[in-house]
Amino acid sequence: MADIRRPLTLRDVSEASGVSEMTVSRVLRNRGDVSPATREKVLEAAKALGYVPNKIAGALASQRVNLVGVIIPSLSNMVFPEVLSSISKVLEDTGLQPVFGATGYRPEKEETVIYEMLSWRPSGLIVAGLEHSATSRVMLENAGVPVVEIMDVDGPVIDTAVGISHARAGRMMAEAILAAGYRRIGFLGTRMEGDHRARKRLEGFEAALAEAGVKLAAREYYEGGSALAKGREMTAAILARVPDLDFLYYSNDLIGAGGLLWCMEQGIDIPGRIGLAGFNNVDLLDGLPMRLATMDACRSEIGQQAAEIVAGKHRDGIIGGEIIALTPKLARGDTIR
Amino acid sequence: MADIRRPLTLRDVSEASGVSEMTVSRVLRNRGDVSPATREKVLEAAKALGYVPNKIAGALASQRVNLVGVIIPSLSNMVFPEVLSSISKVLEDTGLQPVFGATGYRPEKEETVIYEMLSWRPSGLIVAGLEHSATSRVMLENAGVPVVEIMDVDGPVIDTAVGISHARAGRMMAEAILAAGYRRIGFLGTRMEGDHRARKRLEGFEAALAEAGVKLAAREYYEGGSALAKGREMTAAILARVPDLDFLYYSNDLIGAGGLLWCMEQGIDIPGRIGLAGFNNVDLLDGLPMRLATMDACRSEIGQQAAEIVAGKHRDGIIGGEIIALTPKLARGDTIR
DNA sequence: CTGAAAGCGCTAACAA
DNA sequence: TTGTTAGCGCTTTCAG
């Protein structure tokens, strides 16, 4: 039992089974023709020994890596896990494996993550957002593998993009709000510098208001903490400052939900006295006492299409250079009159 | 410009800088002594070319991989991202990189994920839970690297474990509930087969009730869907079936929150007529109209300690074979009288 | 401080 | 159907 724990190699399986390394390799990869007898012997030996192939060596030799890097801002945002799971689902039957990395909305961190991922020579990269540092951009452009930018389509694309126009999503919401007759509109959102999609939504929103001669009557920003709790606080604060607001547009559903709960507790008439809307159409809204108006960002379709493109099995046979703009869907709920 | 896109190698940098591959390698890894002049040349050439080292080759040659596999049931559970981010934070200054994999609470999928991860020869593995298939167990035992099981400590441990006793968490909650004088207690949870921690909590909960001569008066299970919405439905259902319940114990905070919202809408007196409690102490509870009683599962401390152990810098100099049981903390909130 | 040689564990390509 | 040979791109080791 004086056996030093050394990782097993093909050679060990080869010796244990009396079959050449090459043939063992073929069996283990289901490649080429191997006689059932040999096959059996090999599999038995491999299982008995508990052999786990070394993909590092395999990848180096074959110049193939079955990894797809997926780079997103944050795991705790509730929005991204949904994208990830739809990516995972599609990749599952392609032999590709997703590897996740988070940037914390920080460009420097994104650089590191991209660099780190590329150094493993993945088969493709899926990156959230269109905004990257110059260094990141160069790395992505020269990656030599499919790069799909997701979530957003408002801006210059490196290779392929799948997402929605957040500017348009903002416009659409503004139009719905105006059409319902609201005019004293406040905005509540994160202060997050790096959240370009939230910024674009707000820009689109304000542009549409401007076209109707309406200006945002108030703004309120937050950072950190429980979004639901922040939604309450901000709502209380903005209404204290500007009591005659008749609509509150939240940059995400969670703070919107907090605001909704607060307003209901205050006995405020929704959507009569005041209307509310969020963004994302998260699951959580289902369980609220009232259905918050929101906009669906097509998260799972985005993940699905991105994965299909990277896996090379996209229905349109896309090779690159395409921009796939999905249509955000308004969910009126009960908080717009 | 007829340049075929071929990934750059050390050799390219070597040629561009007129320095041997070996020295280039040393510069790029900050290893050994290199004259500042040479160093400068190399760095310049590497940056100009946009060289990204090939970690596959590096790992094969050095027999070292800076990856730590982290295996959890699900990304969408809200509980796991928190563990992940504390793991990431600790690993950040160790040169180690976390790689995440999800099992969907399915043992077969866990096997695949473990196998896949081990085939990349990571420096360590962090796995949620103590329950594994025989195959998974064998792989983990023979991994030859540190394996830390997290979240739970009730059961046989492979190498090292960091977590809480869910049985104890269940007992503690039962004791608090009984001490407050509640006796007609209902349980509401997921039907999820693979969620062993939820099961153990319930077992501990029932055991403590039994010792006081109390039996669960009703149970209600759900699967899938928006947890908040399910919490409402289940609460309505269980109270319709067994109207005289005076306490509802939820297997997680989200369904608990749904139940809380529903009860409040019904004008039910909480915690007088009926008490409520969840589990996990998630952020979201901060924003609810009333503070749900819950139990903190020490998620971020678990992640932190697990990462420290894998990184070999744990304060107790743990090598393996240890079980670190943290103490779950009761948060009474306002829903236990 | 710098370089040359050997080889990590596997697979592509070819030979038998 | 099976085996042999020659690397994949890097780092270790040892020599200068």
Side-chain angles (χ1 to χ4, degrees), chain A residues 1 64 124 166 203 254 284 305 329:
Chain A
M1 288 303 183
R64 241 192 310 277
H166 286 261
E203 286 168 3
L254 228 42
L284 193 89
Q305 294 215 33
K329 283 156 208 73

Side-chain angles (χ1 to χ4, degrees), chain B residues 96-119:
Chain B
L96 291 173
Q97 262 240 329
V99 175
F100 307 123
T103 68
Y105 288 97
R106 304 204 318 276
E108 334 79 76
K109 176 76 177 168
E110 187 188 60
E111 275 178 23
T112 318
V113 174
I114 291 175
Y115 186 83
E116 206 68 25
M117 289 215 166
L118 286 179
S119 72

Side-chain angles (χ1 to χ4, degrees), chain B residues 318-331:
Chain B
I318 285 176
I319 306 288
E322 306 282 330
I323 298 178
I324 302 177
L326 304 176
T327 308
K329 283 157 208 71
L330 178 68

Side-chain angles (χ1 to χ4, degrees), chain A residues 4 7 19 28 43 63-64 81-82 105 150 154 171 258 279 285 321:
Chain A
I4 307 265
V19 176
L28 264 21
L43 288 176
Q63 306 280 64
R64 241 192 310 277
E82 198 167 327
Y105 288 98
I150 57 171
D154 295 329
R171 299 189 73 88
F279 179 82
L285 298 186

Side-chain angles (χ1 to χ4, degrees), chain A residues 92-104:
Chain A
E92 220 152 54
D93 12 78
T94 65
L96 292 172
Q97 263 239 329
V99 176
F100 307 124
T103 68

